[in-house]
Amino acid sequence: MHTTATRRSSRLLVMLAGLLMLVLVGAPSAYACDCMELTFEEAAANADLIADITIETELEDVEGKVTYFAVVDTVWKGEESRTIEFTTHEWVASCGLGRIEAGTSLLVWASGKDGSYSSTWCALPADGGPDDPERLTELLGDPADLTDQPVPQPGEPGGPPEQSMPAWALLGLGTAGLAVGVLLVRVVALTIALFLIRRR
């Protein structure tokens, strides 16, 4: 009984020591995004493109930087192109806007040019809100409405890239083809063996 009590005391001390270490040293840090706050006017001045866009599809993900093909609906400032490539980081801790689902519409304050733009939380106005479109119109004038323009199709200039078969699918097809080939060789070999046996 004394041994059981000693073991319990030891475990409790180890747990308390662990908790104390977490408090003193800190849990593994998840660095928060740290931005210099911009006023609405400063954010508008800094942005190369201010537009309402709709995310259509993900194009690539390189170390958390995700690039999307997006359709542009309304432009307050910048290039009036019906489609753009839009990049942000999937980690909010890295000041990215997070991973964005296809079909999501958002107002972007972006930097870039020639159809390729990116944005972070740091580009957004600290005093922004639901009335941003109205404030932008007051500040920059009426936006360009691009919704009456057709969206380019895959293969057309400005359209999304034509979908190629993913590498895993190609690998799967190659493996399946190899398996079928091996099976055919075995069937042929078995047929020849049976034919020779019958001839004897």
Side-chain angles (χ1 to χ4, degrees):
M1 186 167 175
H2 177 69
T3 308
T4 305
T6 305
R7 285 181 185 164
R8 285 182 183 164
S9 298
S10 298
R11 287 181 186 161
L12 185 60
L13 281 172
V14 169
M15 288 173 62
L16 287 172
L19 286 171
L20 184 61
M21 286 295 290
L22 281 174
V23 170
L24 293 176
V25 177
S29 55
Y31 297 103
C33 174
D34 186 22
C35 299
M36 182 181 74
E37 290 190 352
L38 299 174
T39 65
F40 195 88
E41 290 74 16
E42 288 170 337
N46 287 351
D48 296 314
L49 177 72
I50 303 175
D52 270 324
I53 68 170
T54 301
I55 300 297
E56 290 290 311
T57 187
E58 181 180 315
L59 298 177
E60 67 175 5
D61 180 349
V62 180
E63 297 181 352
K65 280 193 172 182
V66 188
T67 300
Y68 303 93
F69 175 77
V71 173
V72 181
D73 297 318
T74 311
V75 179
W76 278 270
K77 179 182 179 182
E79 178 181 2
E80 294 180 13
S81 173
R82 190 66 170 109
T83 60
I84 61 168
E85 289 186 4
F86 179 73
T87 303
T88 191
H89 207 286
E90 68 175 326
W91 300 114
V92 175
S94 298
C95 297
L97 302 180
R99 191 165 284 278
I100 309 170
E101 295 293 325
T104 302
S105 295
L106 62 156
L107 175 61
V108 295
W109 307 64
S111 58
K113 61 180 181 179
D114 301 330
S116 183
Y117 294 89
S118 64
S119 189
T120 68
W121 283 108
C122 299
L124 305 178
D127 56 343
D131 61 342
D132 283 359
E134 291 78 13
R135 293 177 68 187
L136 283 168
T137 300
E138 288 177 13
L139 182 66
L140 302 171
D142 290 329
D145 184 355
L146 308 184
T147 55
D148 59 343
Q149 298 179 17
V151 177
Q153 297 302 304
E156 295 178 356
E162 294 184 22
Q163 293 294 327
S164 59
M165 192 171 290
W168 60 265
L170 291 173
L171 181 61
L173 284 175
T175 305
L178 181 61
V180 170
V182 169
L183 183 62
L184 283 174
V185 168
R186 287 181 179 172
V187 169
V188 169
L190 183 60
T191 304
I192 292 171
L194 288 172
F195 176 74
L196 292 174
I197 289 169
R198 283 183 180 171
R199 285 192 65 183
R200 289 180 184 174

